[in-house]
Amino acid sequence: MGKTLFEKIWEKHAVVTPPDGVTLLYIDRHLIHEVTSPQAFDGLRLAGRKVRCPELTFATMDHNVPTDDRRTIKDPVSKAQMDALSKNCREFGVTLYDLNSDKQGIVHIIGPDLGLTLPGTTIVCGDSHTSTHGAFGALAFGIGTSEVEHVLATQCLPQKKAKTFKVEFTGRVKEPVSAKDMILKLIGLIGTAGGTGYVLEYCGEAVRALTMEGRMTMCNMSIEAGARAGLIAPDETTYEYISRGSRPFAPKGKDLEKALAYWKSLPSDPDAAYDRTLTINATEIAPQVTWGTNPGMVMDVTGRIPQPDTVPGYSRKDVEQALNYMGLKPGTPLTDLKIDTVFIGSCTNGRLEDLRTASHIFKGRKAAQGVRVLVVPGSEEVRRQAEAEGLDQIFKDAGCEWRFAGCSMCLAMNPDQLSPGERCASTSNRNFEGRQGKGGRTHLVSPQMAAAAAVEGHFVDIRSWK
Amino acid sequence: MEPFKKYTGVIAALDTANVDTDQIIAKQFLKSIARTGFGEHLFHDWRYDASGKPNPEFPLNHPSAQSASILVARNNFGCGSSREHAVWAVQQYGFRAVIAPWKASGQDRIPAFADIFRNNSMKNGLLTVELTEDQVEQIFQAAAAQPGVQATVDLDTQTVTVHGPQKLVFSFEVEASVKDRLINGLDDIGISLKYAGDITSFETRHNAQMPAGQ
């Protein structure tokens, strides 16, 4: 029987599988950031251990960083955390892209930017959205701080082999429906725990038709379906992306030829078996908007806020709690919801393509009166490219705030936060209670939907919006 | 890591599904570079009102739950972010074990705990116990009938005993490798380092096979 993409990568990286069935898996790339690493470095120091492969470890600052003024970090606690990362990287010989670096950015944006993210590799990071890198056909997943310490010390992780789940999107989505709508649709169908224990593999015509940016958006939110990793087989789109621009760590020349031979062996064999499969007709997918307090509470933009006892997979109590938090009445059309803030950015939708998409909608228009719009590029490289194309001016002319790179209002660890009761159309990945600020109300949408909501001051169905 | 063998304590019943790690430990507490001090911030936004006073409606604030050390919740506990601070907060508050139900979904079984949370728990000696929805419902009922009810979680025999009005005894499954690590309080890195020789020879092979830069 044939093998899946996941099995091929797994076998290539299995160092040893002791009798207890927990494989020691080799890690090709370890990305670290300021929030989940300090205690791991402390652990190394306490045990007198070194970083086994500093040359495979790359660090940046993203979660905590201010996106307005970089000259001074006003929050002393945030500063201490960033200083700790600088000190740890110096002490252990790890490359760091700090706030002074032109390569700084959200860890899942800079990996692909720099050519660190490559097909057939294993990538981990102390962040659940590490699944993003699966868009290249890399086995990439988020880990906790103890595991960060484990990888620092051994370059390996003890892992039980996950089950495989094939999700096929047949047909093509119709513009302006996007990758974000595809993944939100899936999460709505299988729920936020539907992928727990699995590695998702996305395939089918609609996935093949996506750009790498769209594929990253999809894989990014695999964790929102409970799956630690999402995978898409590499193809010409992948190879073209890796060869494009200056990606300092991507193979070139003879190395690229050797790499291509390996990459082309990776796609799942036609007779490979999966533990679970699901087929979704992509042509029927409408723009998606979350209405509740987890990404599985999502519906078509044409929908109405649900009655508490009518939502499959959720108890009446769950739905009542969500609607109460979100300040919503059952039966209200989604398009009637007035928006206070729009956030465009994050590791889900903070890439150049996302900014281009949003800028097309803002061009020659203005954000509605009273709507605050934050546009936060995913990396400094993305910011420079966007500025070179004049996107920043389009955003500013429309009344948006144009910021420096960072995680920003996706998790609101820095000063970019919602106030209690504020309603936000956000291109990020989580609509949990308080995620974007205590009492803040988050609706997850695509960049197109977010920008159109900014212009109108309420959600609109972009398919029929002019 | 402190071994987990058998533990008896008071149950706190949190009747909520999909408890995410943002609720368990909110982002403003993730700025600490220490590994301690998270317990007081557990469930912050649910536990305290806007003025910082304890919310009397929240289960952990009930007088009967003041010494609780076994947490019972609904399915998909610990979903969301990979922050290990969530596990540290649960532990440092005083919990030794968390009980939640797995769910049937067609022929599939949806685990009670999110993957990363479960992994992080294991690394810290916090036991995650999966029972059926019906069994967890019985525990909720026992906790409602007798606030402050105690339970014993025995990893060796893989049983949960609820010492309520009626004694309940439930068996649970646990992977042998997880049980071994928890019961013996093993250091995971120490276990992996026993294979240092294998890792080195793997690296030589891997570096030769994989394209340069990979």
Side-chain angles (χ1 to χ4, degrees), chain A residues 26 29 146 150 317 435, chain B residues 15 27 31 84 192 203 213:
Chain A
Y26 195 75
R29 293 279 184 273
S146 294
H150 202 121
K317 183 172 173 286
R435 173 78 179 182
Chain B
D15 188 7
K27 82 289 244 75
K31 294 179 183 179
E84 195 162 317
S192 291
E203 276 173 337

Side-chain angles (χ1 to χ4, degrees), chain A residues 420-434:
Chain A
E422 240 185 294
R423 191 174 299 286
C424 178
S426 179
T427 67
S428 56
N429 42 56
R430 288 189 177 133
N431 51 339
F432 297 150
E433 286 183 27

Side-chain angles (χ1 to χ4, degrees), chain B residues 145-163:
Chain B
Q146 187 185 322
V149 67
Q150 292 208 333
T152 301
V153 181
D154 188 335
L155 181 55
D156 189 35
T157 60
Q158 297 180 212
T159 53
V160 174
T161 306
V162 182
H163 309 286

Side-chain angles (χ1 to χ4, degrees), chain B residues 19-130:
Chain B
V19 174
D20 60 76
T21 51
D22 274 80
Q23 304 320 313
I24 298 173
I25 186 81
K27 82 289 244 75
Q28 63 267 33
F29 307 113
L30 304 184
K31 294 179 183 179
S32 167
I33 56 172
R35 212 178 174 118
T36 52
F38 296 101
E40 61 192 284
H41 305 305
L42 177 72
F43 296 124
H44 179 273
D45 288 3
W46 287 345
R47 211 166 129 198
Y48 304 104
D49 66 16
S51 67
K53 289 202 189 81
N55 164 17
E57 299 296 310
F58 189 62
L60 262 55
N61 292 332
H62 291 177
S64 63
Q66 287 313 298
S67 60
S69 53
I70 296 170
L71 182 64
V72 186
R74 300 292 183 179
N75 67 295
N76 198 26
F77 188 90
C79 60
S81 142
S82 66
R83 56 188 74 165
E84 195 162 317
H85 313 66
V87 171
W88 300 335
V90 170
Q91 272 190 318
Q92 289 163 18
Y93 178 89
F95 289 113
R96 296 291 314 274
V98 186
I99 300 172
W102 58 270
K103 262 179 110 164
S105 166
Q107 298 191 332
D108 207 20
R109 187 168 154 160
I110 298 176
F113 296 92
D115 262 341
I116 305 178
F117 181 86
R118 188 173 149 274
N119 262 330
N120 289 341
S121 297
M122 183 178 68
K123 305 278 181 192
N124 287 279
L126 176 71
L127 181 64
T128 54
V129 178
E130 287 198 79

Side-chain angles (χ1 to χ4, degrees), chain A residues 342-358:
Chain A
V342 172
F343 171 61
I344 297 173
S346 86
C347 58
T348 312
N349 282 122
R351 283 168 283 271
L352 185 61
E353 183 183 271
D354 301 309
L355 302 186
R356 283 181 184 148
T357 302

Side-chain angles (χ1 to χ4, degrees), chain A residues 5-6 8-9 118-121 133-139 201-202 207-208 212 215 231-240 242 259-268:
Chain A
L5 168 58
F6 166 69
K8 291 179 189 184
I9 304 172
L118 296 170
T121 57
H133 308 266
F136 290 76
L139 178 60
E201 183 179 339
Y202 307 109
V207 174
R208 289 291 127 218
M212 286 312 295
R215 294 179 189 186
L231 281 170
I232 294 174
D235 60 11
E236 292 303 325
T237 305
T238 322
Y239 313 144
E240 191 277 325
I242 293 169
L260 278 167
Y262 170 54
W263 298 347
K264 287 178 179 174
S265 73
L266 290 168
S268 297

Side-chain angles (χ1 to χ4, degrees), chain A residues 68-222:
Chain A
D68 48 359
D69 183 350
R70 287 288 168 95
R71 287 164 301 181
T72 51
I73 296 159
K74 294 179 195 88
D75 177 358
V77 192
S78 293
K79 184 171 186 302
Q81 199 166 47
M82 287 183 250
D83 289 346
L85 181 64
S86 301
K87 177 177 161 288
N88 287 329
C89 288
R90 263 199 314 276
E91 182 181 336
F92 289 90
V94 171
T95 302
L96 167 68
Y97 304 116
D98 65 11
L99 289 188
N100 299 314
S101 167
D102 60 2
K103 296 183 173 64
Q104 179 269 342
I106 305 176
V107 64
H108 310 308
I109 306 267
I110 69 167
D113 269 359
L114 295 171
L116 287 167
T117 305
L118 296 170
T121 57
T122 48
I123 303 173
V124 296
C125 174
D127 187 280
S128 61
H129 293 109
T130 309
S131 58
T132 311
H133 308 266
F136 290 76
L139 178 60
F141 51 91
I143 56 178
T145 297
S146 294
E147 292 178 307
V148 169
E149 184 182 340
H150 202 121
V151 178
L152 289 172
T154 68
Q155 202 57 33
C156 292
L157 264 185
Q159 288 287 301
K160 270 212 90 170
K161 199 171 175 181
K163 294 182 285 183
T164 53
F165 189 162
K166 176 182 175 180
V167 183
E168 185 175 4
F169 289 87
T170 57
R172 290 197 182 195
V173 292
K174 297 191 183 89
E175 284 275 340
V177 177
S178 71
K180 184 67 166 279
D181 303 304
M182 290 166 68
I183 188 66
L184 283 171
K185 181 79 194 174
L186 171 68
I187 299 164
L189 286 172
I190 68 173
T192 53
T196 306
Y198 291 96
V199 166
L200 301 177
E201 183 179 339
Y202 307 109
C203 61
E205 191 186 346
V207 174
R208 289 291 127 218
L210 290 175
T211 60
M212 286 312 295
E213 289 81 355
R215 294 179 189 186
M216 284 188 255
T217 300
M218 280 205 77
C219 288
N220 172 274
M221 290 189 72
S222 302

